Structures are given as C-alpha cells and as structure tokens.
Amino acid sequence: MTKEQPQPVRVNPWLLPLSWIYSTIVFFRNKFFDWGIFKQEEFDIPVVCIGNITVGGTGKTPHTEYIINALKDKYRIGVLSRGYKRKSKGFVLATPQSTSHEIGDESFQIKRKFPDVIVAVDANRRRGIRQMLELENPPEIILLDDGFQHRYVKPSYTIILSDYHRPVYEDAMLPAGRLRQPVSALREANTIIVTKCPADLQPIDFRIISHDINVFPYQDLYFTRFEYNKYLLPVFAGAAHKLPLEALESKYTLLVTGIASPKLLMDKLAEYTSNIDPLVYPDHHNFTKKDIKRITSRFEETLADDKIIIVTEKDAMRLVSMDDISDNVKAHLYYLPIEVVFMDKENDFIQKIDKHVTENQRNRRLYKK
C-alpha cells in the first residue's frame, strides 16, 4: 500500500484579483495592530490560542480536548470560543443544562465531555476573558479556541494548526484559496502542528514538510493524526449499547455528516463495510425538522433488515438536543469518537505547555510581591 499523498491544492485563478484586494485589507489590519492603532489586550493569566490561518476544519476541537485531557488534573482550565452558529448573543457561561443552540456545538461537546472545565462563549474575546476571570473560582489557564484572527487579545502562547492534505504554502488567500491570513502569519506561532497526517508518514516526509513550512528556530513543529475509537457509541444514552466497528460488516450504514472534511470518517468506515450510503451536509450545519424528516425517510425506506445511522461526534452534539427524532431513529443513531495521536515528541509538546503555565504563574506571584 502506497503512502497517502496530499492532493494538489485547488486555487481558482479567476478569483485571484479579489484575493489581492482581500490580502491588502488583511495586511493593513495586521499592521494597525502592529503599529498600536488597534489595541491588543494582554491578560495576567496564560492564554493559549489554538487556531489556524485557513477556513475549513483543521482539527481545533480535538486538539483542544487533547490539551484539556493532559492538563485538567493539574490546572483549573477555561475554554473560550466564539460559539459559532449559536442562537444566543453576548457572553454565555456553559452549564450542565446548556444546549448546542445556546453555546455552539464545539463548546457543547467540550462541556459534555469535561463537565469540570469552565466553558464560555463570546464573540468579544476580551470581554469573555474578563468575565471568566471575575468568576468565584476563575480559571488558571484559558484555551482560546479559534482565536488567531481575533487580534484584540494578545495570547501568551499560540498554536497554529495546518491540514496535511492542504499545505498552506501551496494555498492562496480568500476567495481564490482558503487562507484567511498570509503564510507569513505562521511566524507568530510558538507551535505549528500539521494535522490529519497519514499513519505511515516517514522521517523524510517530516523533514520535507518542515523545510516547506520554513520553521524558525524559536518554533516547535509537531505532526498528529486522528485515530478513531474501536466502538460506535449511541448518541442518545440508554437508547442502545456501544457497537464494535466489526459489527458494520452486515449492516446498511446511513452516514450523515455536517463537517468540513468527512473523507477521513468515510475511509475509516469503508475498512469495515462497503454498504455506506452518505448524506453530506455543509460544515457546521444546523439540522432542521426538514433534515430530520429526510434522514428518517432515507433510513426507513431501505429494505435492509440490519441497519444503522452513523454521525460524527460534532453532529451528534447538534442532534442530541433535538426533540423531533423518532424513537426508532434514536435507537439506531451512533457516532464514532475521534482522538488526536502525536506521531513524534508527544511528551515534549505537553511539557512545553505545562512549562509555559508554570512559569506564567511563578511570574505572577513575583510580580504581586
């Protein structure tokens, strides 16, 4: 089996004039921050930004969860995001009763998996951090989810994610390509992580990508891949039991996705069954009653006796709050959890973050004295 290679990046040449205009706007916006015309706010707490310079999924939520898992027993963690496509406004502090409509699907997913983590949403990140620091038990570290473009906050540590399958150094600015910031913005990162790598990446590939990204001496570069769980989990607790992936061999599988890149999940399921019926929605899709009706009809109209509906973990967070899903669909609705696996220097990455938080806290104590 040959190693999976990144596909050539598709850039629309007809839109390049618009990209030049967009690039000019981004250039002057960045310069206004650099010159101090637009003011950045720095906080007396470690603020770790986890972002990217492209549109589309690079794996911010799984990497945020990875950091939470590594640090949650040592620090009181706060996670602040915009709460993309939520129905609420302003600052919202997540509670066990919060829904994805109130705080967005990523924040809902994190709060559901890590109930002790302080999760909040606010499009105004400065206000959001201030509100979190005014809590009775404020966080000791804040993870700023997708905050790289929000330059009004100056993070103490920046992590930029780049998709292996769409190298940023081959891309173009919006709208011809998918870059929200120029490739030169990578120099702002303390750490760059190439995500979604194939499992059989070789040392020579690490060196080639490192050269192409042009990592600076003050930066760290890591490579991660996604690893799916061996079991499918029910979306609705109590409606069903977890299933091993091997059980898919004899099942009709309706795969429903509303994420940027469903290919990885499709490829994984294809290892266990060839009977996959995909129903693909746009990224961050908010499922409606009409969508539920379509999914239900598609599922119930198949003549197969043994059948299942599989969704992504993010989509599961959107669906679990919906009231108009039939009991029959609930009983057959599963999702496949995903986790981040570092391909090298895993301990080094966590130690860097841990050291940053520890030194920041030490400096705060010395400053207060």
Side-chain angles (χ1 to χ4, degrees):
M1 181 181 294
T2 59
K3 176 171 61 64
E4 180 183 2
Q5 297 289 345
Q7 296 299 311
V9 173
R10 294 182 180 178
V11 173
N12 189 330
W14 297 102
L15 296 177
L16 283 175
L18 295 178
S19 293
W20 298 333
I21 296 172
Y22 177 76
S23 297
T24 302
I25 295 171
V26 171
F27 173 81
F28 280 106
R29 180 180 184 269
N30 289 335
K31 284 299 181 183
F32 287 165
F33 279 106
D34 295 339
W35 295 334
I37 298 173
F38 293 165
K39 303 296 183 183
Q40 285 186 303
E41 187 168 352
E42 197 168 0
F43 291 89
D44 188 25
I45 183 177
V47 177
V48 177
C49 172
I50 305 161
N52 57 22
I53 62 172
T54 62
V55 295
T58 53
K60 292 184 296 294
T61 301
H63 284 79
T64 300
E65 292 178 354
Y66 180 92
I67 296 174
I68 293 172
N69 256 323
L71 300 180
K72 63 184 174 62
D73 294 332
K74 193 169 183 180
Y75 304 106
R76 192 162 53 252
I77 299 175
V79 178
L80 177 65
S81 70
R82 174 186 172 188
Y84 185 63
K85 283 200 171 182
R86 64 189 170 110
K87 303 299 183 182
S88 59
K89 300 292 184 182
F91 176 83
V92 179
L93 182 67
T95 70
Q97 289 73 42
S98 296
T99 66
S100 60
H101 294 295
E102 296 169 334
I103 60 175
D105 50 353
E106 289 104 336
S107 298
F108 179 72
Q109 177 176 319
I110 290 172
K111 187 62 180 178
R112 194 181 188 202
K113 294 173 76 170
F114 306 99
D116 293 333
V117 168
I118 303 167
V119 177
V121 294
D122 198 336
N124 185 327
R125 308 299 173 87
R126 291 181 295 183
R127 179 179 62 194
I129 293 176
R130 292 192 208 109
Q131 294 270 49
M132 295 177 79
L133 295 180
E134 290 175 1
L135 296 172
E136 184 176 352
N137 292 304
E140 297 171 310
I141 172 177
I142 291 179
L143 303 181
L144 200 59
D145 183 19
D146 196 19
F148 185 67
Q149 279 69 36
H150 192 92
R151 292 197 59 186
Y152 289 99
V153 170
K154 186 176 181 179
S156 59
Y157 196 94
T158 299
I159 301 169
I160 294 182
L161 308 181
S162 174
D163 187 342
Y164 169 86
H165 298 278
R166 191 177 178 94
V168 293
Y169 42 82
E170 296 179 4
D171 214 336
M173 294 288 281
L174 290 168
R178 293 186 183 178
L179 293 180
R180 297 191 286 183
Q181 292 281 341
V183 176
S184 59
L186 290 176
R187 68 185 62 170
E188 303 293 330
N190 300 93
T191 288
I192 300 169
I193 302 179
V194 180
T195 67
K196 303 182 181 180
C197 295
D200 55 354
L201 209 62
Q202 300 299 312
I204 184 63
D205 299 308
F206 296 148
R207 292 193 291 271
I208 291 173
I209 295 173
S210 177
H211 174 269
D212 290 339
I213 290 179
N214 190 22
V215 179
F216 288 88
Y218 59 85
Q219 295 178 312
D220 295 297
L221 177 66
Y222 302 94
F223 297 82
T224 64
R225 62 182 176 87
F226 285 154
E227 186 172 284
Y228 285 98
N229 201 301
K230 296 179 180 180
Y231 290 91
L232 293 157
L233 302 182
V235 173
F236 292 89
H241 302 289
K242 68 178 183 180
L243 286 176
L245 285 172
E246 289 79 4
L248 293 178
E249 183 179 2
S250 60
K251 293 181 183 294
Y252 159 83
T253 300
L254 176 60
L255 175 62
V256 181
T257 62
I259 59 173
S261 304
K263 184 178 182 300
L264 283 174
L265 178 56
M266 290 183 182
D267 290 346
K268 182 63 178 180
L269 297 179
E271 296 176 13
Y272 297 89
T273 179
S274 59
N275 193 7
I276 300 175
D277 182 10
L279 190 54
V280 179
Y281 291 92
D283 190 25
H284 287 281
H285 182 70
N286 282 325
F287 291 95
T288 63
K289 291 184 179 181
K290 184 178 179 181
D291 295 325
I292 299 302
K293 186 176 181 180
R294 181 187 180 193
I295 294 169
T296 302
S297 297
R298 185 90 154 249
F299 179 68
E300 293 181 345
E301 286 172 1
T302 181
L303 299 178
D305 294 325
D306 197 4
K307 50 191 178 179
I308 189 173
I309 306 174
I310 298 178
V311 299
T312 69
E313 189 168 10
K314 272 191 179 181
D315 294 322
M317 298 305 109
R318 302 177 189 123
L319 293 169
V320 75
S321 300
M322 300 193 70
D323 298 325
D324 43 2
I325 301 177
S326 69
D327 290 340
N328 182 44
V329 169
K330 286 181 179 180
H332 294 87
L333 193 57
Y334 289 79
Y335 71 94
L336 186 59
I338 194 171
E339 65 179 20
V340 170
V341 176
F342 273 73
M343 304 184 71
D344 66 336
K345 302 184 294 183
E346 177 177 11
N347 292 334
D348 180 69
F349 172 73
I350 292 302
Q351 287 170 4
K352 290 280 176 62
I353 304 294
D354 190 17
K355 181 181 178 182
H356 172 72
V357 178
T358 301
E359 289 181 348
N360 185 283
Q361 290 181 330
R362 185 185 302 122
N363 292 338
R364 288 174 61 193
R365 288 193 294 268
L366 291 174
Y367 178 79
K368 289 180 179 180
K369 290 180 180 180

